[in-house]
Amino acid sequence: MFFEKLRAGAQGTTSKIVLGLIILSFALAGVGSYVTRPVVEVAAVVNGDEISAQALENAYRNERARLESQLGPQFNQLLGDPAYVEQIRRSVLEQMVEQRLIDQKVAELKLRASDEQVRNAIRNLPEFQQDGRFNNERYQQLLARSGISPEQLRDSVRQDLSRQMLLSALVGSSFTLEAEAGWLDRLSRQQRDAQYVRLPLSDFSERAEPSDEEVEAYYRQQPQQFQRPEQVRINYLLLDAGAVSSADIDEQAIADYYQANLSTYSRPEQRKVAHIMVNKGRDAEQKIQAIAERLAAGEAFAELARTESDDSFSGARGGELEWMETGTMDPAFDQAAFALAQVGDVSGVVESEFGLHLITLLEVQPAQTRPLAEVRDSIAERLARDEAANAFYAREQRLAELAFEFPDSLDMAAQELGLEVKSTDYFSTQDAPAEINDPRVLTQAFSERLRQQGVNSDLIELGSNRAIVIHVTEHRPAAVRDFAEVREQARELALAAKARELAAEAADALLAAWRDGEEQAWLEQHGLAVTELSGLTRESEEDPALLDALFAMPAPTEQPSLRTLALAGGDQLVLRLNGVTTPEDSSELLAQIREGQSSLLGQREYQSLLAALKAAGKIEYRRLSSQTDNF
């Protein structure tokens, strides 16, 4: 009865309408699955031009590789700080935005490097140079290996040259007046005569014994100097891969690896060929055919290469090229070169993207395979490293699982893996124990999540087959230490502050006495002497702070030019400037100074241009972070 009613209902008008809507929805969903495409993620939009997230990722990876080669192991530690990684990524994106703004300005001004400029720039690239000259063979090989077509290289170089045209116009239009450069030239060679008296801080420390009230007052007035940093205590498990000796590797395993990787220990066949090349053009086919007929008539290949080949570099050597392997040249050239059966054979006309060629085989080096005995030790060492890494990987995965399954403690993971739970005393980010003093560990140790939830950290990979899991047991927030705890430190700091205050008062007293002409009596009373300085220049071997102060002082007039100076160590100086000598004539550095100032002005104008373009443009930042960053 139930099924009969169901069948009857299905024939009704309402049921047919509902069924039609369901079928339509499935049809539309099916069509949608064919016509939709993945949305390209965008990192920024600059005046309507999109910078893709993938382009940002590529540029970020290049910058990371550059910094890693520059900073070495230190860079891997810096990567443990998420803020540092974000700073790098933001800097890279900002550079890309600036470059896009410059490209838009270049297009607006219709600046475009000529074909001749592009050609010369490519020929002058050091990557394509050999013995100081452009090497067409090297050019072809590098392009083939890089997977870059000549058109792609040409467009990239043209874009760079067009940008340089704008920058050169900015920098080249900046100038410095000769009078301005002359002043800088003469000021740079100015000489000054002076005197100074040094008041050592140590002379005042003996008289600066502060009272208990003064010490406590200093503690209350300078709480930032007695701050205890945020501290934690943690338990941790450190997993370190043990070394596996190559002597323990089974000989059969070594032989099996050798057979499975024969290509690694084999050198493919190599060939040395010579070619005659004719650049593509209206009469290229007739010219290459004429050369082929002369070869068939018995003329020497090398001589024709010297006189007829458009590849002048190889032509000077009779068309001879370097040793080549399959896949290193243009595909058509490569196929023809390896199709030649005997030394001395000449190919038919071969067309590549670079021109028309005739190729002759000069020499062949057959493929060779290094014997097992020669590579046995290196294979054993590799297998030992792999075995250690595989064992570490399995234990690492298990440690991660156990730390997650039993989040309240590290005891279960330690028991199963045979590890020791280590504990620390309180430490801050500045004095962490050496074994855990790693940014990746410290970031977790001081994270709010571990502190509030009381759980184990995620597995932290430290590199070199080392990993760690931590558990925060206690936390102590930053706070001002109790006065009783820092009483002696406060006394030392208060004493030093009072000594500096007394030294400054004494310096002011000497300054007043010098101004009144009574400095001699004052110096005799305090057992101090004047030091004479004559002919000082900005490059003299004196304390840089002293030189900066003296060259900032006004030249003496009716009143002596005097000032005090507190040195970094606490000593006080009282300075008297006696005379200033400025050269009248310019030096041989005038042109260099003028050029340097013009360049500096040009750089400022470039920064001003960027600032103006950013202010006038519509820039939208959409995505900065990446899911692929590992800390």
Side-chain angles (χ1 to χ4, degrees), residues 100-354:
R100 188 61 59 91
L101 287 168
I102 292 295
D103 288 343
Q104 291 172 351
K105 192 65 177 177
V106 166
E108 177 188 336
L109 296 174
K110 294 185 169 59
L111 298 177
R112 186 177 187 275
S114 67
D115 292 342
E116 185 64 23
Q117 288 174 307
V118 173
R119 187 160 39 250
N120 291 336
I122 292 175
R123 294 181 68 86
N124 289 324
L125 286 173
E127 292 82 0
F128 303 142
Q129 298 280 320
Q130 186 169 330
D131 299 328
R133 297 177 56 190
F134 176 75
N135 185 333
N136 188 67
E137 174 191 349
R138 185 176 179 83
Y139 165 73
Q140 295 178 18
Q141 288 180 344
L142 287 178
L143 286 187
R145 290 175 183 174
S146 304
I148 300 174
S149 70
E151 291 77 14
Q152 290 174 319
L153 177 63
R154 178 199 64 203
D155 293 343
S156 177
V157 170
R158 190 188 303 280
Q159 186 179 37
D160 287 341
L161 289 176
S162 300
R163 291 188 195 122
Q164 291 175 21
M165 291 170 68
L166 175 60
L167 302 183
S168 297
L170 279 174
V171 176
S173 62
S174 301
F175 65 92
T176 300
L177 295 175
E178 186 170 350
E180 295 174 325
W183 272 109
L184 288 173
D185 176 31
R186 291 192 290 276
L187 286 174
S188 69
R189 294 180 291 119
Q190 190 181 79
Q191 295 183 352
R192 296 195 166 202
D193 301 327
Q195 298 170 301
Y196 74 86
V197 176
R198 179 185 289 267
L199 286 70
L201 182 66
S202 57
D203 292 352
F204 301 92
S205 298
E206 300 171 359
R207 299 186 278 122
E209 186 62 34
S211 65
D212 291 343
E213 291 75 15
E214 288 175 321
V215 172
E216 192 165 355
Y218 184 88
Y219 165 80
R220 289 194 300 269
Q221 294 164 6
Q222 305 289 336
Q224 71 279 1
Q225 297 195 33
F226 306 101
Q227 188 87 358
R228 182 188 63 223
E230 180 184 13
Q231 295 178 318
V232 293
R233 296 177 66 176
I234 68 170
N235 292 338
Y236 66 94
L237 292 177
L238 179 65
L239 185 64
D240 196 342
V244 177
S245 172
S246 60
D248 297 333
I249 302 301
D250 182 67
E251 292 296 328
Q252 185 59 47
I254 296 174
D256 292 344
Y257 183 89
Y258 175 76
Q259 290 297 328
N261 296 272
L262 271 178
S263 60
T264 304
Y265 306 105
S266 300
R267 190 199 69 194
E269 177 185 330
Q270 294 183 327
R271 292 192 166 202
K272 178 174 284 189
V273 301
H275 79 135
I276 300 171
M277 186 182 80
V278 174
N279 290 332
K280 292 182 179 180
R282 186 171 55 185
D283 300 325
E285 292 187 6
Q286 292 86 339
K287 182 177 179 181
I288 197 72
Q289 288 296 343
I291 296 172
E293 292 172 2
R294 292 171 65 181
L295 284 172
E299 292 192 43
F301 193 100
E303 187 59 33
L304 285 173
R306 290 188 186 93
T307 58
E308 304 297 334
S309 180
D310 287 335
D311 182 359
S312 57
F313 187 83
S314 67
R317 302 190 314 231
E320 182 179 323
L321 302 176
E322 298 295 333
W323 287 98
M324 60 180 287
E325 300 173 1
T326 55
T328 59
M329 300 288 280
D330 178 272
F333 189 101
D334 191 278
Q335 183 178 359
F338 280 86
L340 297 172
Q342 302 291 331
V343 171
D345 286 354
V346 178
S347 70
V349 176
V350 178
E351 181 177 356
S352 76
E353 59 180 325
F354 305 103

Side-chain angles (χ1 to χ4, degrees), residues 482-517:
D482 293 335
F483 177 67
E485 182 183 352
V486 296
R487 184 188 304 274
E488 290 306 314
Q489 180 189 0
R491 181 174 298 280
E492 292 177 6
L493 292 173
L495 185 149
K498 191 168 184 179
R500 285 194 296 270
E501 182 180 343
L502 293 174
E505 291 174 357
D508 290 338
L510 174 56
L511 187 72
W514 217 332
R515 184 175 292 115
D516 297 336

Side-chain angles (χ1 to χ4, degrees), residues 329-391:
M329 300 288 280
D330 178 272
F333 189 101
D334 191 278
Q335 183 178 359
F338 280 86
L340 297 172
Q342 302 291 331
V343 171
D345 286 354
V346 178
S347 70
V349 176
V350 178
E351 181 177 356
S352 76
E353 59 180 325
F354 305 103
L356 304 178
H357 310 260
L358 294 170
I359 307 169
T360 185
L361 181 61
L362 300 179
E363 194 174 347
V364 177
Q365 288 185 351
Q368 294 181 353
T369 300
R370 298 171 67 187
L372 174 59
E374 185 178 327
V375 298
R376 185 248 174 229
D377 290 345
S378 63
I379 292 176
E381 291 174 2
R382 180 187 182 93
L383 291 177
R385 290 195 302 270
D386 291 347
E387 186 173 321
N390 291 336

Side-chain angles (χ1 to χ4, degrees), residues 589-607:
L589 298 177
L590 178 62
Q592 183 178 344
I593 291 174
R594 189 174 184 182
E595 182 180 348
Q597 285 298 110
S598 298
S599 176
L600 181 61
L601 288 174
Q603 293 173 17
R604 289 175 180 171
E605 290 184 9
Y606 171 66
Q607 293 301 325

